[in-house]
Amino acid sequence: MMTEQAVALAGGIIGGILLFVLIGITAYLLWKKFCCLFSYEKLSSPVKMTSANALFQDQSTSETQLKSTRSRSVPFIIPPTLHGRDWINLTNEEHVQEGSDPYMILQSGPRSSFHSLAGAYVVGTINPDLYKFPEDKSETDFPEGNIGRLWFSIEYKQESERLLVSLIKVRKLQPPADSCSPFVKIYLLPDKRSYLQSKTKRKTLNPQFDENFVFQVSSKMLLQRTLKFLVYHVNKQKKHHLLGQVTFPLKNQTLTDDNKLVIWRDLEKENLEPPSEHGDIQFSLSYNDYLGRLTVVVLRARGLKLQEESHAVSVYVKVSLMNHNKFIKSKKTTAVLGSPNPVYNETFSFKADQTELDTASLSLSVLQSIKGEKTHLLGRVIVGPFMYTRGKELEHWNEMISKPKELVKRWHALCHSM
């Protein structure tokens, strides 16, 4: 009797365990099915959208609007997981609306990976133009009358005393014929006897050189040197025609092993006229009528009659602003040693009201000095209004006034007595 009771008790326990397991499995399967149904219902729920994007539902105008949208902007999508957040007054005082069909938006909107984001809605757009790199205007902005532009880089190795020059490219050449086969000669002035030459590029107005050159020069003499690039064209008869030149003094440059300078300069025509009796000076004038600022860029001089030709002789330019022949202010360039053709490329600015331009004038004096001796005047030129000047000097002044904010460049003959 006891045995039968024990067997019945064991059978009841086992049956209870099996029943509990069966109930647990059934509950798990029902829970899993319920989760799948809930997920499906969430994905197919109505989509919220801003009123600005309701225009995608208009089938008659969707094609035109899609083209403009693709070209100008990219939709910014809020994922389904963030639908519970408050997105009232998102952009431009727009409010959230209910009851739109999500699939209509996704099908009529821009075709992209956004199709897979069921339950998402558009809150605005991103303008790709805001994330573009700024355009290099040196490749596109060429002034009127430009005859070409040259790019190069320089670097100085202190330990080996080597000047590394990389000729990069030239753009917008103006050759005398339809075809152009350019090459470049590079000088390190004042040495005019030796030069380095690039390869010739065939039939192109925009040659890409990417060539490296080395000049051996001591650190003591480096800042007294000037790089000169001469751009030539070779015709079918193998004759060379000079298209333009670039002169670049090294005196104001910071040249170190870890400082590689990339520079561009516009080509200039060679001045074939012989220098005047006392030499010539080239400078640019510009007047900013808004700031009331007169700017002078002293570029170079040539054909100077030095009293003594030696490295101890220094030549500089003194720029003076006058008003009614009364001295107002003067500034000086740095001195260049022992050259009758010094290059400066230095800029000076003076305050001058627009009402003063009829009575103001500029005096540029080229001066020579030797240690322990008196400064000697090599020549002078005055530019200004009709009250003080005539000829080229008056024309230069009037052109400066007629072209505000624009640099006007000219050569002028130096006079010794004024």
Side-chain angles (χ1 to χ4, degrees):
M1 188 66 178
M2 292 294 291
T3 303
E4 291 178 359
Q5 290 179 353
V7 170
L9 181 61
I13 293 173
I14 293 173
I17 292 172
L18 291 174
L19 181 61
F20 180 76
V21 171
L22 181 61
I23 292 173
I25 293 174
T26 303
Y28 171 75
L29 294 175
L30 289 174
W31 176 79
K32 188 174 182 181
K33 185 175 181 180
F34 176 77
C35 287
C36 292
L37 289 173
F38 177 77
S39 176
Y40 176 77
E41 289 175 359
K42 183 178 180 180
L43 288 173
S44 59
S45 63
V47 172
K48 301 175 183 180
M49 62 174 287
T50 58
S51 59
N53 291 285
L55 58 86
F56 287 115
Q57 297 180 4
D58 188 355
Q59 297 296 328
S60 62
T61 60
S62 62
E63 292 299 323
T64 304
Q65 292 165 347
L66 280 174
K67 290 179 182 178
S68 62
T69 303
R70 290 190 191 112
S71 61
R72 294 196 304 269
S73 60
V74 177
F76 185 77
I77 303 297
I78 293 298
T81 56
L82 300 179
H83 277 188
R85 306 292 179 86
D86 181 13
W87 295 101
I88 304 298
N89 292 324
L90 294 174
T91 54
N92 298 328
E93 299 182 356
E94 297 169 353
H95 296 270
V96 176
Q97 295 181 348
E98 301 282 349
S100 301
D101 184 354
Y103 298 104
M104 180 178 292
I105 296 172
L106 291 172
Q107 290 172 4
S108 61
R111 298 185 179 274
S112 68
S113 60
F114 301 141
H115 286 282
S116 62
L117 295 176
Y121 61 92
V122 180
V123 298
T125 57
I126 297 174
N127 185 357
D129 292 334
L130 297 176
Y131 302 93
K132 291 182 178 179
F133 288 104
E135 182 184 2
D136 183 6
K137 293 188 176 182
S138 68
E139 290 272 11
T140 56
D141 290 354
F142 290 85
E144 185 179 353
N146 183 272
I147 60 173
R149 184 169 289 173
L150 182 142
W151 282 258
F152 63 97
S153 69
I154 54 175
E155 185 178 3
Y156 187 69
K157 299 294 183 181
Q158 296 280 354
E159 187 176 346
S160 56
E161 294 190 327
R162 294 184 305 158
L163 177 66
L164 309 182
V165 181
S166 294
L167 176 63
I168 302 173
K169 61 188 176 183
V170 181
R171 293 291 181 265
K172 296 285 187 178
L173 288 174
Q174 305 294 324
D178 294 335
S179 63
C180 182
S181 297
F183 70 91
V184 180
K185 290 181 180 180
I186 307 175
Y187 293 83
L188 188 60
L189 302 178
D191 184 6
K192 296 182 179 180
R193 294 171 297 178
S194 59
Y195 60 87
L196 300 176
Q197 183 173 320
S198 74
K199 296 178 181 178
T200 301
K201 301 297 179 179
R202 300 294 176 184
K203 298 181 180 179
T204 177
L205 299 177
N206 303 291
Q208 187 78 29
F209 291 99
D210 295 323
E211 295 184 47
N212 300 316
F213 304 90
V214 179
F215 291 93
Q216 199 72 40
V217 55
S218 68
S219 56
K220 292 181 179 180
M221 297 298 297
L222 179 65
L223 299 183
Q224 300 176 26
R225 299 300 188 94
T226 297
L227 276 171
K228 187 173 185 178
F229 300 84
L230 299 177
V231 182
Y232 288 91
H233 155 64
V234 184
N235 62 16
K236 295 179 180 178
Q237 290 75 36
K238 305 298 181 182
K239 292 184 178 180
H240 297 173
H241 298 272
L242 181 62
L243 299 179
Q245 61 185 7
V246 168
T247 306
F248 186 78
L250 301 177
K251 62 178 179 179
N252 295 324
Q253 305 304 319
T254 304
L255 300 173
T256 59
D257 290 342
D258 57 349
N259 184 28
K260 183 176 182 179
L261 302 177
V262 179
I263 304 146
W264 62 264
R265 289 290 186 273
D266 287 329
L267 297 181
E268 296 181 339
K269 292 182 179 179
E270 184 183 29
N271 194 333
L272 299 177
E273 295 181 8
S276 58
E277 181 182 357
H278 301 288
D280 303 294
I281 184 171
Q282 186 188 41
F283 57 92
S284 299
L285 296 178
S286 175
Y287 184 71
N288 188 318
D289 51 355
Y290 179 75
L291 298 176
R293 184 173 62 198
L294 177 61
T295 300
V296 186
V297 184
V298 181
L299 297 169
R300 58 178 61 82
R302 63 180 186 132
L304 301 178
K305 303 299 186 289
L306 302 180
Q307 297 296 304
E308 179 183 336
E309 294 190 12
S310 72
H311 291 296
V313 175
S314 60
V315 180
Y316 63 93
V317 179
K318 181 179 178 182
V319 184
S320 301
L321 175 66
M322 315 289 289
N323 197 343
H324 287 291
N325 285 328
K326 181 182 178 181
F327 171 80
I328 303 297
K329 194 172 186 179
S330 67
K331 300 181 180 182
K332 299 177 182 179
T333 67
T334 55
V336 175
L337 297 177
S339 174
N341 304 294
V343 179
Y344 297 101
N345 283 344
E346 295 189 36
T347 303
F348 306 101
S349 293
F350 300 91
K351 291 293 292 183
D353 191 82
Q354 194 167 7
T355 58
E356 300 174 348
L357 294 182
D358 290 336
T359 56
S361 63
L362 281 170
S363 170
L364 289 90
S365 304
V366 182
L367 301 160
Q368 170 190 315
S369 65
I370 304 175
K371 274 190 176 183
E373 296 186 19
K374 188 177 178 180
T375 300
H376 178 76
L377 176 66
L378 298 177
R380 178 186 291 129
V381 61
I382 295 177
V383 291
F386 185 79
M387 183 183 296
Y388 308 108
T389 61
R390 300 290 186 274
K392 292 182 178 180
E393 288 72 34
L394 175 61
E395 291 174 4
H396 197 176
W397 186 264
N398 289 338
E399 187 177 358
M400 173 198 72
I401 296 174
S402 65
K403 298 177 179 179
K405 303 182 184 69
E406 182 178 330
L407 281 172
V408 181
K409 178 171 61 178
R410 287 202 179 187
W411 280 98
H412 293 276
L414 293 171
C415 297
H416 196 270
S417 57
M418 278 190 165

